[in-house]
Amino acid sequence: MSIKFGIIGGTGVYDPKILKDTREETLSTRFGTVQVKVGNYNGKEIAFLPRHGAQHSVPPHLINYRANILAMKALGVQKLIATAAVGSLNPAMAPGDFVLVDQFMDFTKNRPLTFYEGGEQGVVHIDLTEPYCRELRGVLKKAAGATGLRVLAGGSYVCTEGPRFETPAEIRMYRILGGDLVGMTSVPEVVLAKEAEICYATVAMVTNFAAGISPTNLTHSEVVETMRQNNHNLRKLVMKTMEIITEERH
Ligand code: HPA
């Protein structure tokens, strides 16, 4: 089986609604079993996986990131685009904006972070100078230009453990440290994709200003509602990206 392209859908993206002739594939990995939807778009076979499950039933800290990435790898996926709902710490990144994140800061606390746990797997220290694939970000940027959407190139994603939202004091701290956006899922997903040698990039969609910046208290339904309102734009961006993406990797 060789499906070269994949999409991991974050909050609000449970069905890409762009795939034709879809089928379900069940992948058994050494970390568990994963259901992936496979379909066709513009002559390309694409694998799709909703990160939180089809009904948003898996919280960020309990997602089986390792199984998800190994399932994509087993299908043959070489280029993987993830979507992520994020809060913003940066006044220049407002709800509805898309950001092609290029850095992360890891504030998770209790997640399996690697495929390499010593023993048979060995010990591996991967380079993360460019955590999100530069080439793939370039393709997303080009797609953004073609669609006319407001897509900002570059931003630091602060990954928290969740599932709770942050305190205003935490948000002030992350801002002082240079964070732009806050979310709960990019780590370890981006790290594992790198370990699996899959080109990986994230399209973050700002759903809210973070706690203490937003004039109101945060709710998950606010996040989901903003995602819902902007889903057509996200779909446009993903469709264009899948049209112009190629198999070639450098
Ligand atoms: N914090 C953490 N994760 C999020 C947020 C937030 O404000 N918005 C969407 N995902």
Side-chain angles (χ1 to χ4, degrees):
M1 203 168 349
S2 196
I3 295 142
K4 296 280 189 288
F5 308 106
I7 301 168
I8 294 184
T11 295
V13 184
Y14 309 113
D15 185 337
K17 296 204 180 99
I18 65 169
L19 301 181
K20 302 236 159 42
D21 306 320
T22 55
R23 62 180 194 273
E24 291 277 343
E25 294 278 354
T26 304
L27 287 305
S28 288
T29 77
R30 64 191 163 94
F31 298 104
T33 300
V34 181
Q35 293 268 107
V36 179
K37 201 177 258 187
V38 177
N40 200 284
Y41 178 69
N42 207 44
K44 295 182 176 103
E45 278 218 293
I46 297 168
F48 174 79
L49 176 59
R51 186 187 288 123
H52 296 275
Q55 313 295 330
H56 200 104
S57 54
V58 188
H61 64 298
L62 296 178
I63 290 167
N64 195 342
Y65 295 97
R66 293 192 292 192
N68 288 353
I69 293 295
L70 281 192
M72 286 290 183
K73 186 77 181 172
L75 285 169
V77 169
Q78 301 250 348
K79 297 192 176 184
L80 183 55
I81 288 172
T83 77
V86 292
S88 175
L89 286 60
N90 183 336
M93 298 173 180
D97 285 346
F98 293 102
V99 185
L100 306 176
V101 293
D102 61 352
Q103 290 291 321
F104 72 77
M105 296 184 209
D106 181 11
F107 283 89
T108 65
K109 293 175 181 160
N110 192 22
R111 303 178 184 192
L113 287 165
T114 178
F115 292 119
Y116 298 99
E117 303 212 294
E120 252 175 51
Q121 267 78 47
V123 175
V124 169
H125 304 281
I126 48 156
D127 171 56
L128 283 174
T129 306
E130 281 195 287
Y132 302 89
C133 173
R134 188 205 305 197
E135 252 183 83
L136 213 42
R137 280 186 286 124
V139 176
L140 284 159
K141 203 171 158 192
K142 212 163 140 192
T147 54
L149 294 172
R150 183 172 152 82
V151 181
L152 307 167
S156 283
Y157 178 119
V158 174
C159 194
T160 65
E161 182 70 359
R164 66 171 177 84
F165 289 120
E166 303 70 39
T167 64
E170 287 171 325
I171 293 300
R172 278 197 300 276
M173 172 182 75
Y174 296 142
R175 186 72 194 129
I176 289 166
L177 294 178
D180 295 301
L181 302 167
V182 61
M184 306 176 189
T185 55
S186 201
V187 182
E189 197 170 271
V190 57
V191 179
L192 295 168
K194 193 75 135 183
E195 285 189 349
E197 300 182 315
I198 296 173
C199 301
Y200 175 98
T202 294
V203 183
M205 212 206 77
V206 181
T207 54
N208 57 281
F209 280 115
I213 301 174
S214 169
T216 55
N217 291 357
L218 303 184
T219 62
H220 179 63
S221 42
E222 173 187 353
V223 170
V224 172
E225 179 54 24
T226 313
M227 280 305 299
R228 196 187 60 75
Q229 283 170 13
N230 289 282
N231 234 328
H232 60 288
N233 284 335
L234 184 55
R235 195 172 310 141
K236 238 200 271 183
L237 182 59
V238 171
M239 282 164 87
K240 197 66 194 172
T241 304
M242 287 302 166
E243 274 168 43
I244 63 177
I245 201 167
T246 62
E247 289 188 12
E248 207 180 318
R249 292 177 23 146
H250 298 100

